Amino acid sequence: MPSTRWRLALSATALLTATAVLPAPAHAEAAPDYTIAVDPSAEGAAIDDTMYGVFFEDINRAADGGLYAELVQNRSFEYSTADSGSYTPLTSWTVDGTVKAVDDAGRLNGRNRTYLSLDAGSSVTNSGYNTGIRVEKGKRYDFSVWARAENGTTLSVGLKDTAGALADTRRVAVEGGWAKYRATFTATRTSNRGRLAVTTTNAAALDMVSLFPRDTYKNQPNGLRKDLAEKIAALKPGFVRFPGGCLVNTGSMEDYSEASGWQRKRSYQWKDTVGPVEERATNANFWGYNQSYGLGYYEYFRFAEDIGAMPLPVVPALVTGCGQNKATDDEALLKRHIQDTLDLIEFANGPATSTWGKVRAEMGHPKPFGLTHIGVGNEENLPREFFARFERFRAAIEAKHPDITVISNSGPDDSGTTFDTAWQLSREGKVDMVDEHYYNSPQWFLQNNDRYDSYDRQGPKVFLGEYASQGNAWKNALAEAAFMTGLERNADIVELASYAPLLANEDYVQWSPDMIWFNNHASWGSANYELQKLFMTNTGDRVIPSTSTTTPDVSGPITGAVGLSTWATSAAYDDVKVTAADGTTLLSDDFSGAASRWTHTGGGSWSVQDGAYVQTDEAAENTLVTAGDPAWQNYDLHVRATKKSGKEGFLVAFGVKDTGNYYWWNLGGWNNTRSAVEQAVDGGKSTLISKAGSIETGRAYDIAIKVRGRQVTLCLDGQEWDSFTDDKPAEPFRQVVTEDARTGDLIVKVVNAQESAARTAIDLGGAKVSSRARVTTLAADPDAVNTETDTPVTPVTSTFPGVADEFTYTFPANSVTFLRIRQR
């Protein structure tokens, strides 16, 4: 909470108008709330140009229907129940007449298995993505189709919506075997609800029905949607990590061939995604839809080059993750994937005369792409099995390409057994770089600015490949900004960092939050996007050491009621007892009667059965019931729990303030593979302790949780399981100072993630500087969210005329401020 002097500050609304452009005048007698001391003579960490980048994964329809500019959905009729239970080869198509999806020897090619057969006079119409196919008046659109008509036919191709034609109909004459045919439309009206219709006069076969806007990013063929690509380019990212994510290391590791039975749920394998688009295999996307691979490795490399970013591909290590957790033991398959990785490096860097360099050249890029880094694996939960395979990949790569940095990873969490084991193996194996991933609450990010201060400076470097604070509100971005000042301060350890995920189509969301949101006609940057852009375009080249005062910590003991819950599991709870530290009974319930003292705030179905409180819905997630007083502190919670059926175990809550703020002991979580203590703050969860472990069905467990002050001890069946002290302050005032070698500017970056303005005395340590600073400020209400029609989180630029060796600046409430100060 703010101190007394901060309560005199202007309201957040007034601050936005009064201080976003210029800080409030400082009175000589007023004491500063904070001080920042800069030491320009000290040597700080160098910051690489590649420090901040982007991570692209085909999640939330980020590729098809997103960055990939193709307007036709299911253009090759390959949609399958393997992708989604509701899919058929005619998903997103409507038919008139006699039309059949055919899978036989008459197909276009072996990797494009299905095509359409149309009888004379029949037609098919495609609905595109979101509300339909988006066209703009006066813009040109390129249609193409592979067609076959042994007796000849004419295809009538039209663009329309419910109001009528959107362009003049085109007629395409088709004769003989499979061939590609083209036509061009100029839209006569703008519409977000367009449909593409193809009608045949005689019997015909169709495949690869395509419609592209002529106006793609940099006018590239098989190109990218311009507004999305431009928003990514505007970040000026140092690298692009692709193609995943869970796409990389889930599903079958086999290829797409007759020998493997045409596997449809495969890990992302780069050779499927290069060459002519009609010869690329489609695949079931891990996130529940189909991926056409029209946006493939060549397009990723080209895009990275176009925006001046380092390409950073990730390849499967033959250990699945993302809940699948299986190691493939097939020596021939392992050797094939290792060779594929060597071939990928040749595709990227080899001369046009090499086998795979020639493929790149024939696709239109004779010059090598200059690949320097490659990741092996993604979030594997089996660290020893993963590392054994990683070492095989690394040895093969280093033998042929010693200049390539090969990146390992530490699993899906910021801590825990998997994390610790993975890091230990990487240190012992002298790995160059380790990819860390974590998604935590804003409070975790405010608490962990110092995360990398204690990392071994002689050990592997860190690639923070995925992180986000579980929300797209401004308060989430503020917390991330506070954390990022710690990343920069530790730029000698953290060499690469990327927020994740990058893109989300608002009508097809599997994961949130995301950096850039879009639909079929518009795109907008989230609050997190604006924050990332500010850091990426004002990084600097080295850290100038600095210190600052902190906010007084007023946190008291852990307080809150207690709770019971389940996740995709049926469980029975009994003999709940809460006892104060002095032995006074606060709650005792053996469920011999009704459960009247419990409040049901979650899902599921609870009832008293046979003297126990039972949750019976195996599908429900978070079925929380609570009892007691939110003011309780210093107590012991005992409960007896029995799993009846389902995927996981028990969730026993304590310190429950409300539905978004609590702790719980998650026993048998993550598909009954591990147990953890999680803290929820405003709905965002962070993991405090994590261990491997599972819960047996039908066995009764005695669970005890002792809360004293901010220390918690957890016991299972009379044995101490673990303990922790949650006393790390969520510091809202953070800063870092860097220097831009090109301009000579000092860049003072300050995060004030609280409801009060922060009047701050800044001492530049004798640096000779200009009297004026260029200021960029992001400030908004903590709950502000950018949308298609409203962007409350928008940078404001101004000039501050009061810079000196020592000066005072008032940073607005809930703000991130960058002061660019020219050195003389």
Side-chain angles (χ1 to χ4, degrees):
M1 295 292 292
S3 68
T4 302
R5 63 177 179 270
W6 294 334
R7 296 181 193 135
L8 302 176
L10 296 172
S11 69
T13 302
L15 279 167
L16 286 175
T17 56
T19 67
V21 176
L22 290 176
H27 299 289
E29 69 276 9
D33 302 318
Y34 296 93
T35 61
I36 296 174
V38 183
D39 185 358
S41 64
E43 189 70 23
I47 306 174
D48 289 343
D49 292 340
T50 54
M51 172 81 184
Y52 295 122
V54 294
F55 161 50
F56 182 91
E57 179 175 11
D58 187 1
I59 184 174
N60 310 311
R61 292 280 189 184
D64 297 327
L67 184 61
Y68 186 48
E70 173 65 78
L71 297 172
V72 175
Q73 185 175 176
N74 189 19
R75 66 183 177 185
S76 61
F77 314 107
E78 296 296 310
Y79 275 29
S80 163
T81 53
D83 312 324
S84 172
S86 63
Y87 278 3
T88 76
L90 283 167
T91 293
S92 66
W93 293 91
T94 56
V95 304
D96 185 13
T98 303
V99 178
K100 293 184 295 184
V102 181
D103 178 359
D104 66 13
R107 63 179 64 87
L108 177 60
N109 62 66
R111 294 166 69 78
N112 195 327
R113 308 290 294 169
T114 307
Y115 64 96
L116 283 195
S117 172
L118 290 77
D119 283 358
S122 299
S123 67
V124 289
T125 302
N126 190 266
S127 58
Y129 298 91
N130 300 89
T131 56
I133 292 173
R134 160 73 173 187
V135 296
E136 294 182 59
K137 183 179 180 179
K139 294 287 183 73
R140 301 180 74 185
Y141 297 85
D142 292 323
F143 167 83
S144 65
V145 63
W146 282 81
R148 185 187 70 203
E150 302 303 335
N151 297 319
T153 190
T154 298
L155 302 179
S156 294
V157 187
L159 275 170
K160 61 183 180 180
D161 62 12
T162 54
L166 293 168
D168 293 337
T169 299
R170 296 296 184 231
R171 287 178 173 78
V172 178
V174 175
E175 183 76 39
W178 288 109
K180 187 173 183 178
Y181 299 88
R182 296 178 174 86
T184 299
F185 294 98
T186 299
T188 55
R189 289 191 293 115
T190 294
S191 176
N192 300 328
R193 302 178 182 276
R195 301 291 188 267
L196 176 72
V198 181
T199 304
T200 181
T201 56
N202 295 323
L206 306 180
D207 208 345
M208 294 297 294
V209 182
S210 173
L211 186 71
F212 266 85
R214 177 71 58 86
D215 189 18
T216 59
Y217 184 65
K218 293 189 178 292
N219 298 313
Q220 295 276 13
N222 195 49
L224 306 181
R225 179 170 150 174
K226 190 174 182 180
D227 63 325
L228 292 178
E230 287 178 342
K231 279 186 170 58
I232 299 168
L235 294 167
K236 300 188 183 303
F239 65 88
V240 178
R241 173 182 167 227
F242 60 88
C246 288
L247 302 185
V248 168
N249 66 333
T250 53
S252 167
M253 299 295 165
E254 299 286 349
D255 63 1
Y256 192 58
S257 67
E258 185 176 8
S260 67
W262 304 106
Q263 300 265 357
R264 283 301 301 265
K265 292 187 176 183
R266 309 181 306 284
S267 61
Y268 197 111
Q269 299 174 46
W270 76 271
K271 289 181 180 179
D272 286 342
T273 77
V274 297
V277 291
E278 68 274 9
E279 295 177 9
R280 301 183 191 181
T282 71
N283 196 13
N285 182 297
F286 174 82
W287 299 106
Y289 53 91
N290 178 274
Q291 49 194 339
S292 74
Y293 286 154
L295 176 58
Y297 259 70
Y298 175 77
E299 289 75 26
Y300 287 128
F301 277 119
R302 190 181 64 192
F303 181 51
E305 181 180 71
D306 284 344
I307 63 176
M310 177 182 80
L312 204 167
V314 182
V315 299
L318 273 72
V319 178
T320 55
C322 303
Q324 296 184 357
N325 303 338
K326 178 183 177 183
T328 299
D329 291 312
D330 184 325
E331 181 64 18
L333 195 57
L334 176 62
K335 287 181 177 178
R336 195 266 288 174
H337 276 267
I338 291 172
Q339 185 58 51
D340 281 355
T341 303
L342 297 175
D343 293 343
L344 170 60
I345 297 170
E346 182 177 284
F347 176 80
N349 292 352
T353 53
S354 65
T355 300
W356 287 100
K358 182 180 180 182
V359 173
R360 181 197 69 239
E362 289 174 346
M363 294 183 73
H365 202 286
K367 181 182 175 183
F369 283 115
L371 177 67
T372 60
H373 291 64
I374 192 165
V376 176
N378 172 77
E379 294 189 7
E380 285 75 19
N381 270 312
L382 302 173
R384 295 190 184 281
E385 291 86 342
F386 161 73
F387 199 75
R389 290 155 181 79
F390 170 84
E391 288 191 301
R392 295 279 300 277
F393 278 84
R394 181 176 59 163
I397 294 169
E398 290 181 344
K400 291 197 70 173
H401 306 282
D403 295 333
I404 297 287
T405 297
V406 187
I407 304 171
S408 179
N409 78 85
S410 59
D413 298 303
D414 62 271
S415 60
T417 304
T418 295
F419 179 89
D420 292 341
T421 303
W423 259 104
Q424 177 188 351
L425 293 169
S426 290
R427 283 191 293 268
E428 292 172 352
K430 301 188 183 306
V431 169
D432 289 330
M433 185 175 286
V434 176
D435 185 4
E436 292 190 354
H437 296 179
Y438 38 81
Y439 298 90
N440 288 318
S441 69
Q443 175 157 312
W444 185 94
F445 284 94
L446 291 175
Q447 290 176 320
N448 284 278
N449 173 277
D450 63 348
R451 175 178 176 85
Y452 297 105
D453 290 2
S454 59
Y455 270 50
D456 181 4
R457 262 52 197 172
Q458 306 306 312
K461 304 302 182 183
V462 171
F463 170 23
L464 180 49
E466 296 183 32
Y467 71 98
S469 73
Q470 301 174 339
N472 276 143
W474 176 232
K475 63 187 175 186
N476 299 96
L478 275 172
E480 291 155 7
F483 186 74
M484 291 171 75
T485 65
L487 298 184
E488 291 193 3
R489 187 176 64 251
N490 289 286
D492 59 324
I493 290 292
V494 185
E495 292 192 345
L496 306 170
S498 50
Y499 178 98
L502 177 61
L503 293 172
N505 186 320
E506 66 174 352
D507 292 334
Y508 307 94
V509 179
Q510 292 87 39
W511 185 280
S512 185
D514 304 283
M515 196 193 297
I516 299 170
W517 291 79
F518 64 94
N519 50 39
N520 66 350
H521 61 275
S523 59
W524 57 96
S526 65
N528 317 71
Y529 172 86
E530 295 297 345
L531 185 280
Q532 291 289 328
K533 184 177 179 182
L534 184 59
F535 271 85
M536 287 192 199
T537 56
N538 294 277
T539 306
D541 299 285
R542 78 176 179 99
V543 176
I544 306 299
S546 60
T547 58
S548 67
T549 54
T550 57
T551 308
D553 179 21
V554 295
S555 62
I558 292 173
T559 61
V562 299
L564 309 170
S565 187
T566 59
W567 198 286
T569 301
S570 173
Y573 295 95
D574 200 0
D575 299 329
V576 178
K577 190 170 185 179
V578 181
T579 308
D582 63 3
T584 304
T585 298
L586 301 175
L587 172 71
S588 180
D589 201 336
D590 63 3
F591 302 106
S592 56
S596 58
R597 282 173 283 188
W598 297 85
T599 301
H600 187 184
T601 58
S605 178
W606 288 88
S607 61
V608 175
Q609 299 178 17
D610 300 324
Y613 202 20
V614 183
Q615 197 294 115
T616 55
D617 187 345
E618 284 187 36
E621 298 179 346
N622 192 3
T623 63
L624 186 65
V625 292
T626 61
D629 189 338
W632 280 352
Q633 57 182 273
N634 298 322
Y635 58 78
D636 296 312
L637 166 62
H638 294 264
V639 61
R640 191 169 176 82
T642 305
K643 174 180 175 177
K644 297 176 74 67
S645 60
K647 295 179 180 178
E648 303 203 347
F650 315 118
L651 295 165
V652 180
F654 56 98
V656 180
K657 292 183 173 62
D658 52 49
T659 56
N661 294 274
Y662 56 84
Y663 300 81
W664 67 21
W665 188 3
N666 185 347
L667 288 149
W670 295 271
N671 287 322
N672 207 15
T673 60
R674 59 191 174 104
S675 298
V677 176
E678 297 177 282
Q679 181 185 17
V681 179
D682 294 332
K685 289 203 291 290
S686 302
T687 300
L688 305 182
I689 305 172
S690 178
K691 293 183 177 183
S694 60
I695 293 298
E696 298 175 23
T697 300
R699 174 184 164 188
Y701 290 83
D702 287 313
I703 297 166
I705 300 172
K706 179 179 180 179
V707 180
R708 294 292 184 273
R710 301 202 67 81
Q711 181 167 349
V712 178
T713 304
L714 306 111
C715 294
L716 188 63
D717 289 335
Q719 300 295 315
E720 183 173 326
W721 182 82
D722 212 330
S723 64
F724 68 94
T725 302
D726 182 25
D727 60 356
K728 210 169 190 182
E731 174 58 54
F733 187 86
R734 295 291 188 184
Q735 59 79 35
V736 70
V737 180
T738 63
E739 182 180 48
D740 186 327
R742 183 180 61 84
T743 63
D745 290 351
L746 289 178
I747 312 173
V748 180
K749 312 173 188 185
V750 177
V751 181
N752 182 31
Q754 57 191 335
E755 293 292 339
S756 304
R759 186 170 181 274
T760 304
I762 302 173
D763 182 349
L764 296 179
K768 298 186 183 303
V769 295
S770 168
S771 63
R772 303 175 73 85
R774 287 179 290 141
V775 184
T776 305
T777 304
L778 285 169
D781 183 274
D783 293 319
V785 175
N786 285 356
T787 67
E788 178 184 350
T789 57
D790 184 27
T791 53
V793 182
T794 301
V796 174
T797 58
S798 61
T799 301
F800 175 63
V803 178
D805 177 40
E806 298 183 24
F807 68 101
T808 300
Y809 191 93
T810 299
F811 296 97
N814 300 308
S815 69
V816 178
T817 305
F818 280 26
L819 303 172
R820 269 191 170 265
I821 303 169
R822 181 63 56 87
Q823 295 187 88
R824 291 185 287 136

